Amino acid sequence: MKHNINNMKRILSFLTVLFISVTMWADEGMWLPALISQRIVDMQAKGFRLTAEDIYNVNEASLKDAVVLFNRGCTGELISDKGLLLTNHHCGYGQIQRHSSVEHDYLKDGFWAMTMEEELPNDKLTVDFLVRMDDVTAKALRGYKEGMSEAQRDSVVKANSKQLIAEATKEGKGLRAQVEALYYGNQYFIFVFRTFTDVRLVGAPPSSIGKFGGDTDNWMWPRHTGDFSLFRIYADKDNNPAPYSKDNVPYRPKKYFKVSAKGVKEGDFTFVYGFPGSTREYITSDAVHYNAEISNPHKIKLRTHRLDAQRKYMSKDQAVRIQYSAKNASVSNAWKKWQGEMKGIRKMNTVEVKREYEKRFREWAKGTEYEGVLERLEALYAELEPYSFANDYYRESVLVIELPAFARRVQRALEKGDDPQSTIDNFYKDYYLPIDKECFVSLVKEFEANIPDEFKPEYFKNSMKQYSTAEAWADDMYANSAFVDAKSLEAGIALVSIAGGNVAEAMNEDPAVRFYAELADFYNNKVFPKYTSLNKEITLLYRDYMRGQMEFDKEKAFYPDANLTLRVAYGKIAGYSPSDAIYFTPSSSIEGIMQKDNPEIFDYNIPQELRDIYASKDYGEWANDKGTIPVCFIATNHTSGGNSGSPVIDADGNLIGLNFDRVWEGTMSDVVFDPDVCRNISLDVRFVLFTIDKLAKNHRLLEEMEIIR
Ligand code: ARG
Ligand code: GLU
């Protein structure tokens, strides 16, 4: 009997292990906070100790009130009762750069406001708090009747949305709202935000910490980047949003995160709360194939040209390095991600796996309302492909050449009677003509070689004939355009004005304006209409296909694709094996920074102070149990672009890290999630505390945080 019971126990515990290991790994998904009660049992089973109401509650303060959309593209979180905001270095990069000059190079040396008076205001920086989100599917479709055309349905939804938005924003300062389609329009949610615009820069480490490893380490594990910066939200005396004023006071948030300095270990529960931008988890095999095998390879090649030109001049001149640092980082970022994504999709065999799935779906769909949906999608994709290709190519080549785009923008502003002066100043501040001219040559060559004639305007074909080489065309344009520098632009404008001419009209003759205008007009009039109408039909079919997938696969928990709305992702701290015979452990430390440190290489040349601190082991209270300073960790949370700066939260709702990246082998998670290798990369919050304390010596900031020791 005893024997039997023991056996029984063994079997049971084996079953539990099996059950746990299966569910433990099911970490795919970005869930809507308002519906988190549907996931909370699973979250709690994995270690979370709070409730659904702690995550999202409209009546009382909840964690959502400490999470913000930063600059409409990143996430940030509140970490003090005085509006102190933590986000990534790369999210605050533009602001840090704008305050920098060769004399005060905050990118290079870092910036630390030692008092509130020293905190730096930023033009056009926004922080949005989510006030609430509601399912408004029925309201958005009010008045829609079976049999209406899609155009009619669209206008019903538009009109209803307008009204819903007006209602949602009529009371209270700084409110804005948007109605978003989820699951391709099977569901509608309204998101109401409160926007603050007086947001000041408080601190940033030197780029040699905040961007340590640069684009070499970007999207990679092991990682040692101290990717954080600090801002502060200011409000009027009544704690309401207000434009910048020196009379504004620090915002008092409803909720802020306590910071846990207790450390993390493999297996710990983690929860990322933020704004992922865009995923495409439910698309067909054809769409994945186009993405991974056609579009990505071409876009990668085009960006390689631009990066080559940038790097060549940036390495020679510090002023050019500052000018092009942000541009370079953003070109390089997607360039590298697409390469990982392609590789991951191939490794997962996603095209084949989806084809297999589609076969079964078709079988199942026979005789249902979903019969034929996939066939129609397939036909539409075949029709779309040349248009997608031309569109992608145009956007990654001729459209991104700086001079023509700028010239046309100025001309347009004058045409409309707007003052272009700030556009002009901003442009020349960060413009280096030799880089742009080289880009012109290589991008025009690629456009010429890869785009079929039907997608080239006559103007382009004639110019290629006239100049015979892209180089000759570039020589002419970059010698004769009035836009090549501020002086000649000013002189050109003055000349026309004195003669009593119309400046905007005269500018039409400028070769740079003409280049942009001719290409844009052709694409806007001859390519986009077809491209957008096909895409519209496709999206429409996806509404059915999405619903069909949900009915076909009833066991599966579906989550809506990311669309820059607030989401919950949860998982655990875990290492991974990127390839045979390699296993990566999940935490990195300052030891790794020292191993990579190299004064000869720009991206690995750490500040001397950090070397000194390392030598003296002056880590204060921030060392871990091994006596070293933790830097980054990886976990199984499903994140995407936009999740940068998201709080990483422990089982008790305290802040343990700051999300900033994904591992390269897992970048296909926007299309397909592989629990074995998809890992998000976070900065350990203890590294933030250590840097503020020992490097910045900015103790006032530590004092205003609530640190759990
Ligand atoms: N890969 C991260 C993200 O997608 C970080 C990008 C910024 N860093 C860089 N080295 N470019 O935003
Ligand atoms: N670095 C990305 C961002 O800026 C996050 C990384 C990712 O794409 O997951 O949002």
Side-chain angles (χ1 to χ4, degrees):
M1 190 64 187
K2 186 132 188 259
H3 180 82
N4 260 348
I5 286 179
N6 272 342
N7 241 347
M8 199 62 175
K9 270 191 185 156
R10 249 202 309 276
I11 290 170
L12 270 179
S13 73
F14 172 70
L15 282 178
T16 349
V17 167
L18 239 189
F19 178 70
I20 287 175
S21 61
V22 167
T23 52
M24 271 310 253
W25 281 110
D27 292 335
E28 173 177 355
M30 315 171 156
W31 311 97
L32 290 169
L35 304 179
I36 204 63
S37 57
Q38 296 168 2
R39 306 299 308 173
I40 197 72
V41 172
D42 190 45
M43 290 179 81
Q44 287 165 343
K46 289 171 179 170
F48 191 50
R49 283 189 282 265
L50 304 184
T51 65
E53 291 70 34
D54 293 323
I55 297 176
Y56 179 90
N57 190 336
V58 281
N59 302 314
E60 275 167 62
S62 60
L63 293 180
K64 84 146 172 51
D65 299 308
V67 184
V68 298
L69 179 61
F70 182 83
N71 208 12
R72 310 260 157 97
C74 275
T75 306
E77 55 275 4
L78 277 293
I79 52 167
S80 91
D81 61 357
K82 297 186 184 67
L84 189 61
L85 184 157
L86 179 64
T87 188
N88 289 145
H89 186 264
H90 79 262
C91 294
Y93 204 81
Q95 284 69 38
I96 305 167
Q97 185 195 22
R98 246 158 264 147
H99 292 295
S100 292
S101 58
V102 174
E103 298 79 53
H104 295 281
D105 192 345
Y106 299 142
L107 280 179
K108 180 164 161 287
D109 304 323
F111 167 78
W112 297 102
M114 299 311 280
T115 61
M116 281 192 186
E117 287 68 43
E118 287 173 16
E119 298 176 357
L120 299 172
N122 298 287
D123 202 23
K124 297 203 179 85
L125 176 59
T126 55
V127 158
D128 297 286
F129 285 85
L130 179 71
V131 179
R132 60 187 178 82
M133 57 191 287
D134 291 305
D135 186 338
V136 290
T137 313
K139 290 177 187 162
L141 290 170
R142 201 165 34 202
Y144 170 75
K145 282 181 202 70
E146 203 70 50
M148 274 187 174
S149 71
E150 265 316 307
Q152 286 169 314
R153 186 187 190 269
D154 263 4
S155 54
V156 165
V157 171
K158 261 203 200 102
N160 287 333
S161 299
K162 207 170 151 193
Q163 202 183 338
L164 287 166
I165 289 169
E167 277 164 26
T169 53
K170 74 171 178 264
E171 268 161 54
K173 285 197 176 141
L175 292 184
R176 69 173 183 93
Q178 63 207 50
V179 173
E180 293 287 338
L182 301 175
Y183 299 114
Y184 297 93
N186 283 298
Q187 194 176 28
Y188 292 91
F189 258 81
I190 190 166
F191 295 84
V192 184
F193 292 98
R194 205 151 177 253
T195 306
F196 286 78
T197 52
D198 186 353
V199 184
R200 305 185 195 168
L201 177 64
V202 172
S207 292
S208 54
I209 290 176
K211 208 187 161 197
F212 180 77
D215 287 304
T216 316
D217 283 14
N218 189 22
W219 298 112
M220 304 279 248
W221 185 256
R223 189 65 158 277
H224 300 89
T225 311
D227 195 345
F228 80 95
S229 62
L230 291 157
F231 287 80
R232 190 185 305 281
I233 305 170
Y234 283 78
D236 69 13
K237 283 183 198 64
D238 305 318
N239 212 29
N240 284 319
Y244 169 80
S245 153
K246 59 178 175 16
D247 299 330
N248 283 348
V249 293
Y251 170 65
R252 296 182 307 281
K254 273 208 233 167
K255 181 93 186 169
Y256 60 89
F257 285 104
K258 292 179 192 154
V259 178
S260 171
K262 288 166 97 160
V264 297
K265 58 177 190 315
E266 181 139 30
D268 281 357
F269 174 85
T270 56
F271 157 18
V272 175
Y273 209 171
F275 291 86
S278 150
T279 59
R280 292 147 285 142
E281 310 284 349
Y282 308 106
I283 54 177
T284 65
S285 54
D286 290 334
V288 178
H289 177 264
Y290 172 73
N291 226 316
E293 303 301 337
I294 299 169
S295 166
N296 278 0
H298 279 277
K299 293 196 298 194
I300 291 161
K301 186 181 63 180
L302 290 168
R303 287 198 177 206
T304 304
H305 290 306
R306 289 160 75 194
L307 292 169
D308 287 348
Q310 292 174 352
R311 282 178 193 147
K312 182 167 141 193
Y313 294 99
M314 286 172 79
S315 61
K316 289 187 196 152
D317 186 337
Q318 198 203 349
V320 179
R321 184 187 282 286
I322 296 174
Q323 286 182 317
Y324 275 73
S325 53
K327 293 178 192 172
N328 179 261
S330 89
V331 175
S332 158
N333 194 43
W335 170 81
K336 192 162 182 184
K337 187 202 154 182
W338 290 330
Q339 297 176 55
E341 190 175 77
M342 265 171 73
K343 236 181 119 154
I345 287 173
R346 284 181 189 164
K347 187 174 156 225
M348 292 286 286
N349 209 8
T350 304
V351 176
E352 277 316 306
V353 171
K354 290 226 176 208
R355 287 213 167 114
E356 201 46 49
Y357 172 87
E358 287 156 12
K359 213 153 84 197
R360 285 188 288 120
F361 181 92
R362 274 193 190 127
E363 246 347 275
W364 167 85
K366 276 187 189 143
T368 74
E369 62 169 306
Y370 306 109
E371 182 167 353
V373 170
L374 276 170
E375 287 78 356
R376 269 176 283 153
L377 272 171
E378 194 180 315
L380 281 168
Y381 270 120
E383 211 184 323
L384 178 71
E385 194 167 302
Y387 289 90
S388 291
F389 185 73
N391 177 48
D392 285 351
Y393 219 90
Y394 162 72
R395 285 179 183 283
E396 282 290 326
S397 62
V398 287
L399 195 72
V400 299
I401 304 170
E402 294 179 79
L403 187 73
F406 161 69
R408 177 65 163 165
R409 210 174 326 128
V410 172
Q411 190 259 348
R412 268 279 158 92
L414 289 171
E415 217 168 50
K416 281 197 285 177
D418 296 345
D419 181 5
Q421 200 52 48
S422 72
T423 306
I424 294 174
D425 296 341
N426 282 334
F427 178 78
Y428 290 119
K429 182 173 183 283
D430 292 333
Y431 184 64
Y432 188 63
L433 186 143
I435 292 180
D436 192 39
K437 193 174 166 190
E438 281 192 20
C439 289
F440 179 96
V441 171
S442 45
L443 298 177
V444 163
K445 274 189 185 164
E446 293 286 10
F447 189 84
E448 165 70 2
N450 290 286
I451 289 298
D453 271 354
E454 60 174 309
F455 290 115
K456 283 180 193 144
E458 286 310 311
Y459 156 83
F460 186 90
K461 289 187 254 185
N462 293 339
S463 302
M464 279 316 281
K465 255 193 229 122
Q466 181 196 331
Y467 292 106
S468 81
T469 65
E471 283 86 353
W473 191 355
D475 283 342
D476 189 23
M477 180 181 302
Y478 287 78
N480 293 316
S481 169
F483 290 86
V484 288
D485 58 58
K487 271 210 193 86
S488 73
L489 181 55
E490 213 177 291
I493 293 176
L495 215 65
V496 179
S497 317
I498 290 165
N502 179 323
V503 179
E505 225 173 86
M507 278 178 177
N508 275 328
E509 303 306 314
D510 186 274
V513 174
R514 174 113 199 265
F515 180 91
Y516 193 93
E518 292 273 3
L519 277 147
D521 286 352
F522 179 82
Y523 271 80
N524 290 340
N525 298 319
K526 299 271 156 59
V527 184
F528 291 150
K530 182 80 182 168
Y531 172 77
T532 19
S533 81
L534 284 170
N535 260 320
K536 217 169 164 177
E537 280 184 72
I538 288 176
T539 311
L540 210 62
L541 280 171
Y542 269 121
R543 197 164 74 212
D544 294 336
Y545 184 43
M546 186 73 237
R547 219 169 47 247
Q549 291 183 69
M550 291 165 110
E551 277 177 41
F552 175 51
D553 205 350
K554 284 215 169 69
E555 299 296 292
K556 185 172 162 172
F558 283 83
Y559 54 93
D561 268 320
N563 58 351
L564 210 63
T565 57
L566 188 61
R567 301 298 175 93
V568 170
Y570 57 95
K572 64 170 176 180
I573 296 182
Y576 74 107
S577 170
S579 57
D580 185 41
I582 300 177
Y583 183 78
F584 285 141
T585 58
S587 312
S588 67
S589 73
I590 194 170
E591 308 304 321
I593 297 186
M594 300 314 296
Q595 288 159 8
K596 287 177 178 173
D597 176 28
N598 184 343
E600 306 286 303
I601 304 176
F602 183 85
D603 285 330
Y604 295 100
N605 181 14
I606 60 169
Q608 187 54 42
E609 296 100 290
L610 191 59
R611 293 188 190 113
D612 296 342
I613 292 170
Y614 180 77
S616 69
K617 300 280 176 291
D618 175 21
Y619 296 156
E621 53 181 312
W622 315 115
N624 64 13
D625 48 10
K626 295 193 190 75
T628 189
I629 291 291
V631 182
C632 298
F633 61 82
I634 51 174
T636 61
N637 304 74
H638 190 183
T639 55
S640 188
N643 268 125
S644 270
S646 298
V648 187
I649 305 161
D650 69 8
D652 297 308
N654 301 317
L655 189 75
I656 48 174
L658 181 61
N659 183 76
F660 70 96
D661 212 357
R662 274 175 287 168
V663 304
W664 199 61
E665 298 82 0
T667 43
M668 70 296 192
S669 65
D670 293 345
V671 178
V672 56
F673 189 89
D674 178 359
D676 288 341
V677 296
C678 288
R679 299 288 179 271
N680 65 311
I681 308 180
S682 304
L683 179 60
D684 192 307
V685 80
R686 288 172 295 177
F687 187 80
V688 175
L689 298 169
F690 160 77
T691 307
I692 295 173
D693 181 9
K694 292 296 172 179
L695 236 101
K697 303 192 172 55
N698 203 324
H699 299 121
R700 67 173 187 121
L701 297 178
L702 295 177
E703 272 151 32
E704 66 178 276
M705 296 177 206
E706 209 169 309
I707 301 171
I708 303 170
R709 291 170 158 95

